[in-house]
Amino acid sequence: MKKTLSIFLALGSIAALALFLPSACTKAKTPPALPGVTCNSTISFSTQIAPMIEENCAVCHGVGAGTSPVLSNHAEIAANAEAIIQALRGTPQLMPQGGPALPDSLIQQFQCWLQQGRMQN
């Protein structure tokens, strides 16, 4: 009886770990919102995000520029969005490199685009 109870408790513990451990170890896909940022309108990739990246990032991160990651299309920008927002915030290094930080309004637009699902619109 004791052996059966021990096996039952061990299996119960394993089942509990299997249920709760994956959720404890998941990494957030979208960085936390910036304090005070409210996304009142849908952010357009084609008219807001792509031009911002082209104007501020393409010199170093464009096709043939030699700096990784390349940020020349929606797929590349969306795949690197977390790193981009961190760099725009200055973590671990402020981007654009050597230049002044982008205006908060542009950083907020990018943050909203992330929160809205990185749409290709």
Side-chain angles (χ1 to χ4, degrees):
M1 180 70 176
K2 276 188 167 185
K3 188 174 184 176
T4 303
L5 182 58
S6 295
I7 291 172
F8 179 74
L9 290 174
L11 290 174
S13 297
I14 291 170
L17 282 174
L19 288 173
F20 296 110
L21 191 56
S23 64
C25 296
T26 57
K27 182 179 175 184
K29 298 291 182 193
T30 302
L34 292 171
V37 173
T38 303
C39 304
N40 293 323
S41 61
T42 301
I43 302 300
S44 168
F45 178 80
S46 62
T47 63
Q48 293 171 287
I49 300 303
M52 177 185 78
I53 297 293
E54 179 65 31
E55 185 176 320
N56 297 288
C57 309
V59 170
C60 297
H61 295 281
V63 174
T67 304
S68 181
V70 174
L71 303 172
S72 65
N73 60 49
H74 177 269
E76 293 165 345
I77 294 167
N80 291 285
E82 288 87 5
I84 294 168
I85 194 68
Q86 293 301 323
L88 293 175
R89 292 177 180 172
T91 307
Q93 179 181 0
L94 179 64
M95 293 287 167
Q97 188 173 18
L102 295 183
D104 287 344
S105 61
L106 290 180
I107 297 171
Q108 291 172 2
Q109 281 182 357
F110 197 86
Q111 177 71 47
C112 288
W113 180 70
L114 259 71
Q115 291 174 313
Q116 294 169 0
R118 304 172 209 189
M119 293 184 288
Q120 187 174 4
N121 54 352

